[in-house]
Amino acid sequence: AQELTRGLAYRQWVGVNAVVFRASAGIVSGSCLGIRLTGTNPGEAVYTLPQPIDLSWARFANIFLYAFAPNTSVKLRLYSSGSDYYEGTMTVNDANVWREYLLDVSTFNRIGNPDLGNVTRIGIVTDGPILVDSDYLFHQYHRGELVVRFTLSRPSASSQSPKISDLRITYEEVVSR
């Protein structure tokens, strides 16, 4: 999802009752997406995917929001077609501070007859100006756990207990396509 909010990615977003712009105030890496309303109605930034993607595996959506006014309503939409989409809703209660939002995709409202296996567009609807940042927007897991087990031994009960002086764990996320 970094390509959705980084650098020149703002050019791929289309504003509906809104202007989409690049801001250099992102919390995740420096640049982020900005949405400013052009009227009194809620505005939407829409990103059309180059080809439909399958998000049926996604259990969570993770997004960082910065609102310029308190109690700003923000909706994340996953479109299958113009009138068929899933919608998750957040309220940004605090103004002028970045907040992380984790949405359970299974709780998204269904409008029309959407298909998570055929998402063609992503929309962000807001009733106030906001900044949007994301590292990885969709996840299968909310939290990960790493369990390390090892056995320490000594020749006899009177021997000095073994000590661990260094433990190194290397983690690499593998993405399959």
Side-chain angles (χ1 to χ4, degrees):
Q2 290 178 341
E3 67 272 9
L4 298 178
T5 60
R6 298 288 181 273
L8 300 177
Y10 75 94
R11 293 180 178 172
Q12 303 301 315
W13 291 82
V14 175
V16 179
N17 297 325
V19 173
V20 180
F21 60 95
R22 177 180 183 248
S24 57
I27 189 168
V28 177
S29 84
S31 67
C32 63
L33 187 70
I35 303 170
R36 183 176 55 244
L37 305 181
T38 57
T40 56
N41 293 326
E44 182 173 14
V46 179
Y47 183 90
T48 301
L49 296 157
Q51 59 190 23
I53 59 172
D54 180 1
L55 289 178
S56 60
W57 57 268
R59 293 180 53 209
F60 299 100
N62 191 44
I63 192 166
F64 293 86
L65 299 172
Y66 181 102
F68 294 90
N71 303 315
T72 300
S73 175
V74 180
K75 298 175 182 179
L76 176 63
R77 290 182 176 169
L78 307 175
Y79 288 93
S80 293
S81 69
S83 59
D84 299 316
Y85 56 90
Y86 286 91
E87 181 177 83
T89 303
M90 301 149 277
T91 300
V92 183
N93 295 318
D94 302 318
N96 303 315
V97 64
W98 281 102
R99 293 278 185 238
E100 181 179 16
Y101 294 86
L102 182 73
L103 301 170
D104 183 340
V105 173
S106 70
T107 66
F108 279 26
N109 293 321
R110 292 175 55 109
I111 289 73
N113 189 25
D115 178 9
L116 279 176
N118 186 42
V119 174
T120 58
R121 293 180 297 147
I122 297 172
I124 300 171
V125 180
T126 180
D127 63 1
I130 60 170
L131 299 178
V132 179
D133 206 353
S134 183
D135 188 3
Y136 293 94
L137 184 57
F138 299 104
H139 301 273
Q140 261 187 318
Y141 305 103
H142 171 57
R143 299 210 190 284
E145 179 178 328
L146 178 64
V147 177
V148 178
R149 294 184 185 175
F150 49 90
T151 303
L152 299 175
S153 63
R154 54 188 179 178
S156 70
S158 61
S159 298
Q160 186 176 14
S161 293
K163 295 179 182 175
I164 298 173
S165 61
D166 192 22
L167 176 65
R168 294 176 191 215
I169 298 172
T170 302
Y171 171 80
E172 182 177 335
E173 188 167 343
V174 178
V175 178
S176 61
R177 294 195 186 248

